[in-house]
Amino acid sequence: MSSSSPTPIRPATAGRLPAAQCLQLYDVMLRSRLLEERLITMYKQGDGYFWIGGPGEEAFNVPLGFLVDKGSGIDHDYLHLHYRSSGTLLAMGADPVDSLRQMKNVASDPYSKGRNFAGHFSVRKWNVVPVSSPIEVQFSIAIGTARAQRAGTGAKGITIVQGGDAGTAEGDFATALIWSSRKGQELPMLMIVTNNRYGISTPYAGQHGYDQISERGKAFGMPTAVVDGNDPEASYIAIQRALDYVRTERKPYLLEAMVSRLRGHSSASGANLAKDEIDCLQKFETTLEERQLMTRGQIEELRKKYTRELGEASTRVKEEAPPTPESIWEHVFADKNLVGGET
Amino acid sequence: MSSSSPTPIRPATAGRLPAAQCLQLYDVMLRSRLLEERLITMYKQGDGYFWIGGPGEEAFNVPLGFLVDKGSGIDHDYLHLHYRSSGTLLAMGADPVDSLRQMKNVASDPYSKGRNFAGHFSVRKWNVVPVSSPIEVQFSIAIGTARAQRAGTGAKGITIVQGGDAGTAEGDFATALIWSSRKGQELPMLMIVTNNRYGISTPYAGQHGYDQISERGKAFGMPTAVVDGNDPEASYIAIQRALDYVRTERKPYLLEAMVSRLRGHSSASGANLAKDEIDCLQKFETTLEERQLMTRGQIEELRKKYTRELGEASTRVKEEAPPTPESIWEHVFADKNLVGGET
Amino acid sequence: MATMIQAIRMALHVGESKLGVTDIFGEDVGPPLGGVFTGTQGLETAWNTPLDERGIVGMAIGLALAGRRPVAEIQFCDYAFNTIDLLKIAGNTYWSSGGDWNVPLVVMTPVGAGIRGSIYHSHSFDGMATRIPGWKIVMPSTPRDAFGLMLSAIIDPNPVMYLMPKALLRIKNQPGEELGGEPADDKTLSQMIDAPLGDRSAWKPKWPELEELYIPIGKARIAREGTDVTVLTYGRNVQMSLAAAEELAGEGVDTEVIDLRSLHPYDWDAIKASVRKTNRVLCVNEDTEITNFGEHLLRRITEELFYELHAPPKLLAGAHIPGIGLADNLEMASVPQRADIKAAIEELAHHEP
Amino acid sequence: MATMIQAIRMALHVGESKLGVTDIFGEDVGPPLGGVFTGTQGLETAWNTPLDERGIVGMAIGLALAGRRPVAEIQFCDYAFNTIDLLKIAGNTYWSSGGDWNVPLVVMTPVGAGIRGSIYHSHSFDGMATRIPGWKIVMPSTPRDAFGLMLSAIIDPNPVMYLMPKALLRIKNQPGEELGGEPADDKTLSQMIDAPLGDRSAWKPKWPELEELYIPIGKARIAREGTDVTVLTYGRNVQMSLAAAEELAGEGVDTEVIDLRSLHPYDWDAIKASVRKTNRVLCVNEDTEITNFGEHLLRRITEELFYELHAPPKLLAGAHIPGIGLADNLEMASVPQRADIKAAIEELAHHEP
Ligand SMILES: Cc1ncc(C[n+]2csc(CCOP(=O)(O)OP(=O)(O)O)c2C)c(N)n1
Ligand SMILES: Cc1ncc(C[n+]2csc(CCOP(=O)(O)OP(=O)(O)O)c2C)c(N)n1
Ligand SMILES: [Mg+2]
Ligand SMILES: [Mg+2]
């Protein structure tokens, strides 16, 4: 399984992307969805203890992954993601089998060596800092990578931080707003809130005093936007606009994406299909069909192919070795300054 | 030393209060200022280890004290203050000698039994919850008394919480904004920021992305206002307006008062007179003279009288007994539910 | 026979209907979910908070100061570590104000490993909690104690931390340990008080008439009497220690298992009496082993009962590493398992001075 | 002879000018103040943060992840308790990511009593810090160690907590303990590196050319050799213990004082060797006594060296109460004083098995 690199071409029709790019987005959206479905199956079959992930966020997260300036160090983008970001990782070129490994918590899991839950990515070579379970702490940490990028080397690297809607009630969200907007010390940071209108079971209504989370940014003098996160083209364009601003102005931007939560919060709430949510993948398939970019047959073909590949991969992963008991003592302290360039 | 009760009369001239009320405000402002000066003297003479207090905030804090609905329990106002609130306490009727006791950390200190720093009030019978040193935590705690008052008994009791400008960078300030403005669950809470444009040594500029702290309230749909906290009449009127709103609407309000810091941050920074700050007391004296409500002679007379009284009181306090070593073990656990009405 | 989580829910019901509890709140605590472990389903006064643990603890303190009776939940103790300053304030307000304001509140939170919860759903909180003076701290190991400790926590005029051993939330009372008033049949109880799957908007629980039961804070329970070795433990490890003790009984080692139930104040008399009898002591808990509450117990035992000890006292605790890993091997190697407890007891029993 | 706070400042200067330190920050750390204890005056890379400890710790982690070398200050450790979750993340990121990202940062913070700091400027942090795996923790008791431990902390690829004993910040090096390169005369040093009173906008420090000195993390210092009793301590209590030991020397008790310097990892070899020699051990620190780091040390000593002990090992620590009161009587009764240490050593020395 491989991934191709992005083709950031300006759309011909307003709000539309070129055909090739649509197909490219669709391809990764589909693989991302099927990966999540495979993970859920693994969970249900007892090949993992917990599932959480991003079905319903592909139309936003996949474009994000394509637009990231991928690389290592302050000249490239840092990503402080949360646990629904498989679409972003796949678009960046992650191998889905590694997600299966984390699900099965085998020793070969490159993200955590069998230590952490599914969806908890860590890819230093691409500046993807470890996803950690506590909600919103990434917003307090992101200001640090952003500050490192502020002085700047002339490169366009920025910091991207993402979290859910309910999590913005934590003080860490306010921390990011405050530290990123200090006058004369602004930080090059794109803050993304993926709003699925829920925190586990708690609906948005009655939890917030504003209609959109993005309103929180206004007092801080930063540009804000809300985008339909179920529309991959609109998302691509909105992300690109936000990134352009942050890369150029070296100042913060708050982007809110309205997304769906297609399988509930996590396996703890059953991971069953939510019937009352828009499915961005289905919607985009209809669009592609309407524009005659793909036929239903081609779609089914592709789905089958990826489903088969993922099925085979999961069979292989199940045979991989678990971490040893003694391995708990590994990586308590570092001997080398890896982030400082030592190897 | 005693205090008289407030006379909340609507001002005759716009932005002006009736003469009697001006004199009443001035009286407490003066006593409050002289109390702080006495505390600083005690500190400088070695009769206390640390001073922090409110010289420069009298024109705001004294009116606040007069406007509080004073009493015990949810039918009255709860006060979550910080360490510059002596003016408020004196206006409510606190005996200045008790502040001297806390300064000298004698056993008779009613606020903390010699345990806490000066300015750390606690008066359960008036709903003044203990001032604690960590900045801004009062904003996270205040939502609780406000929620208890939300359901309401028909009474007008509300929660008042106050802190400095720099402290609003703590997540607790955001917590108060968020929890107080939840749709359908709004809290009757007046949030006050006394903005002296400093956090210890750090100036406002470059620490905030907005010109006024009050802008932070706007995203939450709550009314906000900025008042000249060096003008006791303007402050009185602004506080009254804010209180009226909160009492009636049972919803939050954010009020920012621009105040002076006349003796620096605390004794740690010398407690010396700041020359470049407006002195609200001097200013108000000039006003009173101009309006021919007081003569310079009367002012000097009053100042002398209070200075003498405080001097005598401090002499007495110095003779009072320190807490015993064993007393450290007292009040670790309560046997009775005092806040629940047990006596 | 109620499970532990049902017992907690029923205790909260007694709390709100008879003991003046006014607010039961936390993330996902109110309808529709009623708690991620079902602990607050169907309760009258349960409501959902914003996702903000600092707000939750602050809210609890404020409500308490205003004379209400709050029970706040932190969804997992793993997420309480940004509130330690506020927990300290709850614990120091009565003392700092020289006895002016007490702070009667309960914070309940699930703790510990045993469910493959990975790095952030396996934390223990006993080490942290016992470092915060001014709090009482309890931790049940049976549904009956869970019920009785909750009622005691609710009526206490101080802040009480109620630690819920996650791995035991579904265990049932032993026969003879029933709560007064609970239906004999599990299914009946479940139909009465467990929320149905699917739409719950019209559902209302039917609470059984329960007898009030107060397990006093500060009193341990001798979970098993024995003469050879004392095991001091609490929560999840009580059940494990009892199982290990039963195995060892067949091998001629007679173990006394003390379930502390209260971590602060703890039952020093019970500990002392047991150590005087067995002269050998093992302390078991799941928290990381450096600066561990068991080390306090053992330090005090060593200081005060030095000449009673016929073997070096022993601590069996969590590995001192940054987290508990997800894979079976990792979790099992990170916190004490029954076999580890058994081996430690054996070693103590057979130690020749 | 540098004071401890001058030594720290000079170490930070060496850090930023030679060891790659890029950011020294915290509340009031930058100009004009340069730290509430003057620790960061005149440093090139010092800057002021918003009043937000969570932001400060988060910033440090983020900077570290981006390959910079941050030194963050929490103005008083009393205000670090709302950041424990973030400190845990700094400590677990390397482990959680299976060795992918290390987090090289230093957090420095003043700790302890001794200045009549009342409830919120007297806290200790050793109990808390040692409960957070993945951190190294150091605490100097002399200016020389303060300098050398800071340099070691800066070059370490892990998070290092640097605890500054508040009461010792103005003490001077003993003769023979000078830093290589510091001017012999105090006044000269002060004129070179202490910011003037009043307007400082034009002021620049003149840093002496200092030799680099690395006190290894994990190595204790035998502050005083002795044969009768071992005192294990660190920070402020080292000086007190030495004074007590000197008094007792006149009374025929020969005390060994071990200054741990590193709390994690700690120097088990040095501890073991000393206990084997003296057979009597006292642990002294200021933190509250329940779930105290000293209890870990004593627990391990008791477990591993039980038969070496000729007297019950003893802990002298802070009273387990919600705060340290302001009045002299209160502070003195709340944390160990020299007389308490002396009495405890004496008791151990004269204990008859
Ligand atoms: C600090 C913290 N508190 C609580 C939790 C438990 N928890 C996990 S996900 C979640 C809801 C998050 O909602 P939101 O931020 O909207 O993100 P979403 O899952 O909807 O994408 C909660 C409460 C947590 N992980 N961290
Ligand atoms: C949580 C916390 N962090 C740091 C401090 C130390 N400190 C005391 S006052 C202060 C500045 C407060 O500034 P501001 O909020 O503007 O209030 P002001 O003193 O100016 O009235 C600081 C940093 C503290 N008391 N609490
Ligand atoms: Mg959500
Ligand atoms: Mg200020």
Side-chain angles (χ1 to χ4, degrees):
Chain A
M1 286 170 237
S2 72
S3 152
S4 35
S5 63
T7 326
I9 308 158
R10 288 268 164 198
T13 316
R16 287 210 187 170
L17 297 179
Q21 207 173 349
C22 285
L23 292 173
Q24 194 182 40
L25 288 176
Y26 173 70
D27 185 81
V28 181
M29 284 171 66
L30 176 64
R31 279 202 297 139
S32 173
R33 173 68 55 85
L34 295 174
L35 169 59
E36 296 287 8
E37 285 176 2
R38 172 55 52 186
L39 293 172
I40 292 171
T41 304
M42 286 178 74
Y43 164 76
K44 293 199 170 174
Q45 292 177 345
D47 288 313
Y49 291 110
F50 181 74
W51 168 83
I52 195 160
E57 300 196 1
E58 296 89 348
F60 183 86
N61 290 340
V62 169
L64 176 63
F66 277 115
L67 285 162
V68 163
D69 176 350
K70 187 175 93 178
S72 161
I74 59 169
D75 290 347
H76 301 279
D77 294 347
Y78 283 93
L79 285 125
H80 302 259
L81 304 172
H82 74 155
Y83 42 67
R84 305 203 190 277
S85 296
S86 57
T88 305
L89 267 287
L90 290 195
M92 290 176 75
D95 190 338
V97 75
D98 287 336
S99 289
L100 307 181
R101 291 186 164 122
Q102 192 168 40
M103 188 69 193
K104 183 68 188 169
N105 46 81
V106 288
S108 58
D109 152 25
Y111 305 132
S112 69
K113 304 219 163 132
R115 292 171 177 183
N116 218 336
F117 280 150
H120 287 61
F121 299 99
S122 170
V123 190
R124 184 160 57 83
K125 65 171 188 232
W126 295 344
N127 281 354
V128 176
V129 315
V131 172
S132 80
S133 301
I135 295 291
E136 221 64 6
V137 289
Q138 69 272 29
F139 282 83
S140 280
I141 293 170
I143 58 174
T145 55
R147 176 138 183 139
Q149 292 172 312
R150 186 179 70 101
T153 56
K156 294 283 186 193
I158 65 154
T159 286
I160 298 167
V161 55
Q162 185 173 14
D165 51 311
T168 60
E170 296 276 5
D172 300 277
F173 185 69
T175 288
L177 294 173
I178 289 168
W179 289 63
S180 66
S181 64
R182 297 201 292 159
K183 284 189 186 150
Q185 305 189 60
E186 289 86 353
L187 301 180
M189 179 151 101
L190 173 58
M191 286 168 269
I192 296 171
V193 177
T194 355
N195 184 349
N196 60 17
R197 292 152 295 121
Y198 283 102
I200 304 192
S201 71
T202 309
Y204 186 97
Q207 293 294 312
H208 304 265
Y210 29 80
D211 294 320
Q212 296 290 157
I213 303 281
S214 56
E215 293 169 38
R216 299 262 320 262
K218 289 182 184 159
F220 300 85
M222 64 182 71
T224 66
V226 184
V227 63
D228 176 1
N230 276 316
D231 179 341
E233 295 176 284
S235 294
Y236 190 100
I237 293 163
I239 298 166
Q240 194 167 50
R241 184 175 308 135
L243 286 172
D244 279 353
Y245 175 86
V246 181
R247 291 196 200 292
T248 313
E249 300 295 324
R250 316 305 291 165
K251 287 184 177 172
Y253 190 110
L254 176 58
L255 177 62
E256 177 175 9
M258 303 306 298
V259 296
S260 295
R261 201 179 68 170
L262 284 183
R263 293 296 204 128
H265 176 71
S266 68
S267 58
S269 50
N272 300 317
L273 202 63
K275 304 234 165 62
D276 46 355
E277 301 263 339
I278 295 167
D279 182 334
C280 62
L281 193 71
Q282 275 178 16
K283 219 180 114 219
F284 199 39
E285 286 173 356
T286 310
T287 305
L288 295 179
E289 283 182 281
E290 280 168 8
R291 292 194 203 154
Q292 299 184 322
L293 297 175
M294 282 186 98
T295 64
R296 185 46 50 186
Q298 286 170 321
I299 288 170
E300 291 310 323
E301 206 47 52
L302 206 56
R303 179 180 284 269
K304 255 189 227 145
K305 173 170 165 258
Y306 288 147
T307 304
R308 191 186 58 244
E309 284 177 7
L310 283 159
E312 286 163 8
S314 79
T315 309
R316 284 199 309 278
V317 162
K318 286 180 203 173
E319 304 305 315
E320 292 183 354
T324 62
E326 314 75 56
S327 74
I328 65 169
W329 299 105
E330 289 166 14
H331 311 302
V332 174
F333 287 120
D335 305 322
K336 285 183 197 153
N337 187 5
L338 305 169
V339 297
E342 283 183 60
T343 47
Chain B
M1 285 172 235
S2 73
S3 154
S4 33
S5 63
T7 327
I9 308 158
R10 286 268 164 197
T13 316
R16 286 210 188 170
L17 296 179
Q21 207 173 348
C22 286
L23 292 173
Q24 194 183 40
L25 288 176
Y26 173 70
D27 184 82
V28 181
M29 285 171 65
L30 176 64
R31 279 201 298 139
S32 173
R33 173 68 55 84
L34 295 174
L35 169 60
E36 296 287 7
E37 284 176 2
R38 172 55 52 185
L39 293 172
I40 292 171
T41 304
M42 286 176 74
Y43 165 76
K44 292 199 170 174
Q45 292 177 346
D47 289 312
Y49 291 110
F50 180 75
W51 168 83
I52 194 159
E57 298 196 1
E58 296 89 348
F60 183 86
N61 289 341
V62 169
L64 175 62
F66 278 115
L67 285 162
V68 163
D69 176 348
K70 188 174 92 177
S72 160
I74 60 169
D75 290 348
H76 300 279
D77 294 347
Y78 282 94
L79 286 124
H80 302 259
L81 304 171
H82 74 154
Y83 42 67
R84 303 202 191 278
S85 296
S86 57
T88 305
L89 267 287
L90 291 194
M92 290 176 75
D95 190 338
V97 74
D98 287 336
S99 288
L100 307 181
R101 291 185 164 122
Q102 191 169 41
M103 187 69 193
K104 183 68 188 170
N105 47 82
V106 287
S108 57
D109 152 26
Y111 304 131
S112 69
K113 304 220 162 132
R115 291 171 177 183
N116 218 337
F117 281 151
H120 286 60
F121 299 100
S122 170
V123 190
R124 185 162 53 86
K125 66 173 188 230
W126 295 343
N127 280 355
V128 176
V129 315
V131 172
S132 81
S133 301
I135 296 291
E136 221 64 5
V137 290
Q138 69 272 28
F139 282 82
S140 280
I141 293 170
I143 57 173
T145 55
R147 176 136 184 140
Q149 293 172 311
R150 186 178 70 102
T153 56
K156 294 283 187 193
I158 66 154
T159 286
I160 299 167
V161 55
Q162 185 174 14
D165 51 312
T168 61
E170 297 275 4
D172 300 277
F173 185 68
T175 288
L177 293 173
I178 289 166
W179 288 64
S180 66
S181 64
R182 298 200 291 158
K183 284 187 187 151
Q185 305 189 61
E186 289 86 351
L187 300 180
M189 178 151 103
L190 172 59
M191 286 168 270
I192 296 172
V193 177
T194 356
N195 183 349
N196 59 17
R197 292 151 295 120
Y198 283 103
I200 304 192
S201 71
T202 309
Y204 186 96
Q207 293 295 313
H208 304 265
Y210 30 79
D211 294 319
Q212 296 291 157
I213 303 282
S214 56
E215 292 169 40
R216 299 264 317 265
K218 289 181 184 160
F220 299 85
M222 64 182 71
T224 67
V226 184
V227 64
D228 176 2
N230 276 317
D231 179 340
E233 295 175 285
S235 294
Y236 190 98
I237 293 162
I239 297 167
Q240 194 167 52
R241 185 175 306 134
L243 285 173
D244 279 353
Y245 174 87
V246 180
R247 289 197 200 292
T248 313
E249 300 295 323
R250 318 303 292 163
K251 286 185 177 171
Y253 190 111
L254 176 58
L255 177 62
E256 176 175 10
M258 303 305 298
V259 296
S260 294
R261 200 180 68 170
L262 284 183
R263 293 295 204 127
H265 176 71
S266 67
S267 58
S269 52
N272 299 316
L273 202 63
K275 303 235 166 61
D276 46 354
E277 300 264 340
I278 294 166
D279 183 335
C280 61
L281 193 71
Q282 275 177 18
K283 220 181 114 217
F284 199 39
E285 286 173 354
T286 310
T287 305
L288 295 178
E289 282 183 283
E290 279 168 9
R291 292 194 203 154
Q292 299 185 322
L293 297 175
M294 282 186 100
T295 64
R296 185 46 49 186
Q298 286 171 320
I299 287 170
E300 290 311 323
E301 206 48 51
L302 206 57
R303 180 179 282 269
K304 255 189 227 143
K305 174 170 164 258
Y306 288 146
T307 304
R308 192 185 59 244
E309 284 176 7
L310 283 160
E312 286 164 7
S314 79
T315 308
R316 284 199 311 277
V317 161
K318 287 179 203 174
E319 304 304 315
E320 292 183 354
T324 62
E326 314 76 55
S327 74
I328 65 170
W329 299 105
E330 288 165 14
H331 311 302
V332 174
F333 286 120
D335 304 322
K336 284 182 197 153
N337 188 6
L338 305 169
V339 297
E342 283 185 58
T343 48
Chain C
M1 234 100 72
T3 63
M4 186 180 288
I5 196 71
Q6 286 174 327
I8 290 171
R9 203 192 308 154
M10 290 193 288
L12 292 171
H13 164 68
V14 173
E16 65 180 14
S17 58
K18 296 196 188 155
L19 308 177
V21 166
T22 53
D23 295 84
I24 299 168
F25 57 97
E27 295 156 11
D28 306 294
V29 155
L33 192 58
V36 290
F37 290 102
T38 77
T40 49
Q41 287 182 348
L43 296 169
E44 283 287 327
T45 62
W47 52 274
N48 287 327
T49 65
L51 205 173
D52 173 16
E53 289 76 16
R54 296 186 61 73
I56 293 170
V57 176
M59 171 60 68
I61 297 172
L63 284 169
L65 295 175
R68 288 172 78 109
R69 280 268 178 199
V71 178
E73 179 177 271
I74 300 293
Q75 195 165 74
F76 291 90
C77 77
D78 314 60
Y79 304 126
F81 291 91
N82 61 339
T83 71
I84 306 298
D85 62 322
L86 289 166
L87 296 176
K88 287 173 78 84
I89 288 176
N92 75 22
T93 294
Y94 184 63
W95 186 90
S96 304
S97 67
D100 197 25
W101 294 83
N102 66 308
V103 187
L105 58 81
V106 178
V107 169
M108 62 186 215
T109 189
V111 301
I115 62 157
R116 303 297 182 266
S118 180
I119 305 178
Y120 275 102
H121 302 79
S122 303
H123 255 105
S124 289
F125 207 66
D126 42 306
M128 178 61 70
T130 53
R131 284 202 48 69
I132 311 179
W135 282 79
K136 298 188 178 177
I137 307 152
V138 300
M139 186 164 178
S141 76
T142 70
R144 186 181 170 81
D145 283 357
F147 184 84
L149 285 169
M150 181 59 89
L151 294 200
S152 294
I154 286 169
I155 62 163
D156 200 283
N158 299 287
V160 181
M161 179 88 55
Y162 185 96
L163 304 179
M164 300 152 73
K166 212 180 293 150
L168 301 185
L169 292 177
R170 303 243 141 77
I171 63 159
K172 292 190 178 169
N173 266 327
Q174 295 296 307
E177 290 281 302
E178 294 85 358
L179 301 175
E182 68 164 315
D185 171 45
D186 296 355
K187 221 152 152 199
T188 309
L189 181 63
S190 174
Q191 277 163 357
M192 291 172 75
I193 69 166
D194 290 345
L197 293 178
D199 183 19
R200 298 167 172 184
S201 48
W203 172 74
K204 279 218 176 305
K206 288 183 205 61
W207 300 105
E209 264 309 317
L210 292 157
E211 282 169 31
E212 289 171 35
L213 165 73
Y214 294 88
I215 305 286
I217 297 179
K219 280 270 167 246
R221 178 175 71 97
I222 314 289
R224 184 185 194 284
E225 287 197 51
T227 52
D228 297 341
V229 175
T230 296
V231 178
L232 296 178
T233 189
Y234 39 85
R236 178 182 179 214
N237 295 135
V238 172
Q239 308 299 339
M240 286 186 175
S241 300
L242 286 172
E246 286 316 315
E247 286 181 33
L248 284 163
E251 301 167 28
V253 175
D254 188 14
T255 309
E256 177 141 310
V257 178
I258 298 193
D259 176 358
L260 279 188
R261 298 200 291 203
S262 291
L263 279 51
H264 196 85
Y266 55 83
D267 192 343
W268 178 240
D269 289 341
I271 295 170
K272 201 160 53 179
S274 182
V275 173
R276 285 215 167 109
K277 175 168 69 170
T278 65
N279 310 109
R280 289 155 203 263
V281 59
L282 170 69
C283 193
V284 186
N285 67 50
E286 294 197 331
D287 213 334
T288 47
E289 76 158 331
I290 297 185
T291 313
N292 175 297
F293 173 56
E295 296 184 316
H296 168 72
L297 297 174
L298 293 183
R299 189 272 298 174
R300 185 162 175 198
I301 289 167
T302 309
E303 248 183 69
E304 298 192 25
L305 304 170
F306 193 63
Y307 293 104
E308 308 276 349
L309 295 171
H310 295 179
K314 215 177 145 53
L315 176 73
L316 192 62
H320 197 74
I321 52 176
I324 293 180
L326 175 57
D328 290 5
N329 277 343
L330 304 181
E331 183 181 304
M332 309 253 299
S334 300
V335 290
Q337 305 295 321
R338 185 174 58 190
D340 305 320
I341 299 175
K342 187 182 166 196
I345 298 172
E346 258 179 319
E347 193 191 309
L348 278 164
H350 300 137
H351 180 88
E352 303 272 346
Chain D
M1 235 99 73
T3 62
M4 186 181 289
I5 196 72
Q6 286 174 326
I8 290 171
R9 204 191 307 153
M10 292 194 288
L12 292 171
H13 165 68
V14 173
E16 63 180 15
S17 58
K18 297 195 186 155
L19 308 178
V21 166
T22 53
D23 295 84
I24 299 168
F25 57 98
E27 294 156 12
D28 306 293
V29 155
L33 192 60
V36 290
F37 291 101
T38 77
T40 50
Q41 287 181 349
L43 296 169
E44 284 287 325
T45 62
W47 52 274
N48 287 327
T49 64
L51 205 173
D52 173 17
E53 290 77 15
R54 295 186 61 74
I56 293 170
V57 176
M59 172 61 68
I61 297 172
L63 285 168
L65 295 175
R68 289 172 79 109
R69 280 270 178 200
V71 178
E73 179 177 271
I74 299 293
Q75 196 166 71
F76 291 90
C77 77
D78 314 61
Y79 303 127
F81 291 90
N82 61 340
T83 71
I84 306 299
D85 61 323
L86 289 165
L87 296 175
K88 286 172 79 82
I89 289 176
N92 76 21
T93 295
Y94 184 62
W95 187 91
S96 304
S97 66
D100 197 24
W101 294 83
N102 67 308
V103 187
L105 58 81
V106 179
V107 169
M108 61 186 216
T109 188
V111 300
I115 63 157
R116 303 295 182 267
S118 181
I119 305 179
Y120 275 102
H121 302 78
S122 302
H123 255 105
S124 289
F125 207 67
D126 42 306
M128 179 61 70
T130 54
R131 283 201 48 70
I132 311 180
W135 282 78
K136 298 188 178 178
I137 307 153
V138 300
M139 186 165 178
S141 75
T142 69
R144 186 180 171 81
D145 284 358
F147 184 84
L149 285 169
M150 182 58 90
L151 295 199
S152 295
I154 286 169
I155 62 163
D156 200 283
N158 299 286
V160 182
M161 178 88 54
Y162 185 96
L163 304 179
M164 300 153 72
K166 212 180 293 149
L168 300 184
L169 292 177
R170 303 242 140 78
I171 64 159
K172 293 189 177 169
N173 266 328
Q174 295 296 306
E177 291 280 302
E178 294 85 359
L179 301 174
E182 68 164 314
D185 171 46
D186 296 355
K187 222 154 151 197
T188 311
L189 181 63
S190 174
Q191 277 162 358
M192 291 171 74
I193 70 166
D194 290 344
L197 292 178
D199 184 19
R200 299 165 172 186
S201 48
W203 172 74
K204 280 221 176 303
K206 289 183 202 62
W207 300 105
E209 265 308 316
L210 292 156
E211 283 168 30
E212 289 171 35
L213 165 74
Y214 295 87
I215 305 287
I217 298 179
K219 280 270 167 246
R221 177 175 72 96
I222 314 290
R224 185 186 193 284
E225 287 198 50
T227 52
D228 297 341
V229 175
T230 296
V231 178
L232 297 178
T233 187
Y234 39 85
R236 177 182 180 214
N237 295 133
V238 173
Q239 308 299 341
M240 285 187 176
S241 300
L242 286 172
E246 285 317 316
E247 286 182 33
L248 283 164
E251 300 167 29
V253 176
D254 188 14
T255 308
E256 177 141 311
V257 178
I258 298 194
D259 176 358
L260 279 188
R261 299 200 291 203
S262 291
L263 279 52
H264 195 84
Y266 56 83
D267 191 343
W268 178 241
D269 289 342
I271 295 170
K272 202 160 52 179
S274 183
V275 173
R276 285 215 168 111
K277 175 168 70 171
T278 65
N279 310 109
R280 289 157 203 262
V281 59
L282 170 70
C283 194
V284 186
N285 66 50
E286 295 197 330
D287 213 334
T288 46
E289 75 158 330
I290 296 186
T291 313
N292 176 296
F293 174 56
E295 296 184 316
H296 168 71
L297 297 174
L298 294 183
R299 190 272 299 174
R300 185 163 176 199
I301 289 168
T302 309
E303 248 183 68
E304 297 191 25
L305 304 170
F306 191 63
Y307 293 104
E308 308 277 349
L309 295 171
H310 296 179
K314 215 177 146 50
L315 176 72
L316 191 62
H320 197 73
I321 51 177
I324 293 181
L326 175 57
D328 290 4
N329 278 343
L330 304 181
E331 184 182 304
M332 310 253 298
S334 300
V335 289
Q337 305 295 320
R338 187 174 57 190
D340 304 321
I341 300 175
K342 187 180 165 197
I345 298 172
E346 258 178 319
E347 193 191 310
L348 278 165
H350 300 136
H351 180 90
E352 303 274 342

